[in-house]
Amino acid sequence: ILNVEQSPQSLHVQEGDSTNFTCSFPSSNFYALHWYRWETAKSPEALFVMTLNGDEKKKGRISATLNTKEGYSYLYIKGSQPEDSATYLCASGPSGTYKYIFGTGTRLKVLA
Amino acid sequence: DTEVTQTPKHLVMGMTNKKSLKCEQHMGHRAMYWYKQKAKKPPELMFVYSYEKLSINESVPSRFSPECPNSSLLNLHLHALQPEDSALYLCASRATGSYEQYFGPGTRLTVT
């Protein structure tokens, strides 16, 4: 994998459902993996930064896991709420040149 | 203060106009970034400043001219833009030694 890829591209779930998305990234020269939550007309908000293989992070109902050897991360949302509706972006980096590589995001819509 | 501010929020300009985008942070971050984001695409890195010096220019056309007059401020000067330059322009900053970027809300630019 040369780029950062996210799936699915978009997702509609019912309130109360749990859901998860995938981020795939280049496993060579790995530095850190970032998850952002981005609501329309607002700044992307950092959710998690993970650096170690096997890392698991949790913030409220949202959690993330990291596998650096195979180059993927999962983001989980338990008991989705309408306010979770947003685009979830992942990014790999920074590299030694300060660069980050972003995925295209997963657009989540939680229906009440 | 963990905020990155960007002005203006929206900008409409003609192809012969000269305008500037402004980004400001007071977190003491010494790396600052400009990204361009088109709909349904990942943020695309344009420029990186480190300690007020340009460290990365991702082969951006010269009609975009960045400037970092001090450690808190980052400008993007625009001149003779094309309609395809219409996009969301995001600014971000990062502390030395940290992996985490902080984003502004972006400037939505339309070139007519």
Side-chain angles (χ1 to χ4, degrees), chain B residues 1-17:
Chain B
D1 181 6
T2 58
E3 196 181 17
V4 177
T5 59
Q6 287 188 245
T7 54
K9 284 188 179 179
H10 300 275
L11 178 63
V12 179
M13 60 185 289
M15 289 190 284
T16 57
N17 291 159

Side-chain angles (χ1 to χ4, degrees), chain A residues 42-58:
Chain A
K42 294 188 178 179
S43 310
E45 173 200 352
L47 289 173
F48 304 114
V49 181
M50 294 183 288
T51 57
L52 299 176
N53 186 44
D55 251 356
E56 291 188 29
K57 296 269 176 113
K58 188 173 179 185

Side-chain angles (χ1 to χ4, degrees), chain B residues 52-63:
Chain B
E52 296 85 73
K53 287 186 170 32
L54 184 65
S55 62
I56 297 177
N57 176 340
E58 289 288 279
S59 303
V60 179
S62 59
R63 57 185 184 269

